[in-house]
Amino acid sequence: MVTYFSNLTQAPIQPSQNMLAYPLRFCYTDYLDESPVLEKDDFLENVTAAYTLEERLVCIPTTILLQTVLGRSSLFGETSGWDMEDAMSLTERYPDYTLFDRNSFAYNLEFFWGDYIAERFVDWENGVCGFDGEEFCCLMKWIAEQSAGKEYENRGGGQDTGEQMAIQAALSSAEEYARYLDEFDQDAVIVGYPSSDGRALHRVQVFDALGIPSRSRHKEGAWAFLKYFLSEPEGPGLYGFPSRRDLLEQMLEETVVFYSVFDQRPLSETEKEQILNAVSEADFSDVIRRGRKEKLLTIIREEMEGYLDGYKTMEEAAAVIQNRAGVFIQEER
């Protein structure tokens, strides 16, 4: 008996929280230690760490999809990672470019700045927040200035890629990354989503994370299938970056970049390193934060409507956000 532990989920933590009460206590490590074909170290460390519950590796997804941000290397530089101060500086230095094609306020708040806000202005452990200060007010005003309308459907659009500093990208392969390079005229770096400490945030989806329930009467047969499934020389042939190191490295070696109709080149060592770093640093803990982060952002979005519609000052909106968010954060402790 083999169970789909997670398929097309954002990350493994959400189902695993329920699984702690579910009898899926099968431990891959015991079998991997005895397998002449597979070892735990054959897989990316962040993947196996994410699926290790109570010191047991309960499953291994076959492939990963990255949700991240690509920026112009001529503007961002060659290194990944950025924070809000960097973002504000970029828009000030390059006024002829737009940031993220001027999406709506609600879209920008949730998809681009949500992690930053949840990290920067909330101490989840101690149950306190700081939404009524000048820093938060300045940030909300700035996001509003960079947005087109307030609701999700009011997306600006009409911008040419050549006018954008960065784009949100769902990367399923090195080939997909190569297509984005072509879109950006070979001028791109994987910068990730902004964070409070300037590190690059890469969100993930995982595919075919299979596990074996501890109560299964056919563990040996199920493991034989999983061993075959995870050790195919050509990989599982599914959508996404392989979780196996050798298959990922093979993908990077075989990918070519088309820089004209007839001309192509392999990925450069820098480009390979960018992709490998992004996949290896993918943030599997996002789902731990997602539920509470979404509720927090809903409070902010609802109370910002008064400011965006002009019948509240930013300070008035921030005071209500501080009050509502404070109650919610205390409840989450």
Side-chain angles (χ1 to χ4, degrees):
M1 178 181 176
V2 177
T3 298
Y4 270 85
F5 179 53
S6 168
N7 190 44
L8 291 175
T9 58
Q10 299 294 319
I13 301 299
Q14 190 171 19
S16 74
Q17 289 171 338
N18 296 329
M19 274 195 35
L20 291 177
Y22 182 76
L24 206 158
R25 292 286 196 273
F26 174 83
C27 184
Y28 267 68
T29 309
D30 297 339
Y31 282 81
L32 289 172
D33 287 345
E34 299 175 3
S35 172
V37 179
L38 290 173
E39 296 180 4
K40 183 178 178 181
D41 289 343
D42 291 338
F43 299 90
L44 296 171
E45 184 179 356
N46 59 329
V47 174
T48 56
Y51 280 96
T52 297
L53 305 174
E54 298 180 347
E55 300 184 356
R56 290 173 175 265
L57 176 60
V58 295
C59 71
I60 302 174
T62 56
T63 51
I64 304 163
L65 181 143
L66 283 186
Q67 293 177 318
T68 188
V69 172
L70 271 67
R72 293 189 177 280
S73 54
S74 57
L75 307 181
F76 281 82
E78 296 294 337
T79 57
S80 63
W82 53 318
D83 57 19
M84 192 58 65
E85 185 176 335
D86 296 324
M88 291 179 174
S89 176
L90 282 167
T91 56
E92 184 177 338
R93 282 187 288 149
Y94 304 106
D96 293 336
Y97 287 90
T98 61
L99 195 58
F100 303 126
D101 198 17
R102 291 186 63 80
N103 294 287
S104 70
F105 177 85
Y107 190 94
N108 281 334
L109 181 73
E110 179 174 347
F111 291 99
F112 297 115
W113 313 119
D115 288 303
Y116 178 91
I117 290 167
E119 290 180 347
R120 179 70 175 173
F121 298 101
V122 180
D123 180 344
W124 294 97
E125 183 177 352
N126 294 311
V128 295
C129 58
F131 293 110
D132 54 354
E134 182 180 357
E135 182 182 356
F136 178 73
C137 291
C138 289
L139 173 58
M140 290 297 101
K141 290 178 182 178
W142 179 83
I143 294 176
E145 290 169 359
Q146 300 298 317
S147 304
K150 66 178 183 178
E151 296 299 337
Y152 292 99
E153 65 271 22
N154 289 343
R155 185 169 180 170
Q159 296 288 338
D160 187 272
T161 306
E163 298 175 339
Q164 295 180 49
M165 294 185 197
I167 56 175
Q168 184 174 226
L171 298 181
S172 60
S173 65
E175 185 177 332
E176 185 105 38
Y177 168 76
R179 285 197 289 271
Y180 279 109
L181 280 179
D182 182 56
E183 234 180 285
F184 266 147
D185 298 323
Q186 314 301 309
D187 177 27
V189 60
I190 304 176
V191 294
Y193 291 96
S195 64
S196 62
D197 60 4
R199 75 190 186 285
L201 283 176
H202 313 287
R203 301 166 189 156
V204 294
Q205 289 182 318
V206 297
F207 296 81
D208 288 322
L210 304 178
I212 303 175
S214 60
R215 294 177 185 174
S216 171
R217 291 175 295 175
H218 308 286
K219 292 188 181 70
E220 295 295 333
W223 170 245
F225 166 75
L226 289 176
K227 182 170 62 175
Y228 164 77
F229 188 68
L230 292 170
S231 61
E232 289 179 279
E234 299 301 320
L238 298 178
Y239 183 67
F241 291 101
S243 61
R244 271 176 48 190
R245 295 176 185 274
D246 60 333
L247 295 179
L248 177 57
E249 290 169 0
Q250 178 183 328
M251 173 188 283
L252 298 180
E253 290 298 327
E254 294 176 351
T255 299
V256 295
V257 179
F258 288 89
Y259 57 92
S260 73
V261 176
F262 303 106
D263 298 312
Q264 64 184 45
R265 63 171 177 82
L267 289 171
S268 69
E269 291 304 313
T270 298
E271 290 162 348
K272 291 177 189 176
E273 186 178 357
Q274 274 191 52
I275 296 171
L276 186 59
N277 287 344
V279 176
S280 300
E281 296 167 2
D283 184 15
F284 282 83
S285 66
D286 179 52
V287 166
I288 298 176
R289 304 185 302 263
R290 182 173 298 127
R292 67 188 189 187
K293 181 182 72 178
E294 288 178 350
K295 292 176 183 177
L296 174 66
L297 296 176
T298 296
I299 292 171
I300 295 172
R301 178 169 51 82
E302 289 175 351
E303 298 307 329
M304 279 297 294
E305 286 186 8
Y307 170 75
L308 296 172
D309 287 337
Y311 62 84
K312 276 186 180 180
T313 67
M314 185 62 246
E315 289 70 23
E316 289 171 337
V320 180
I321 292 170
Q322 173 70 12
N323 184 53
R324 287 186 60 189
V327 173
F328 163 68
I329 292 163
Q330 280 290 326
E331 292 173 349
E332 287 292 297
R333 292 186 66 190

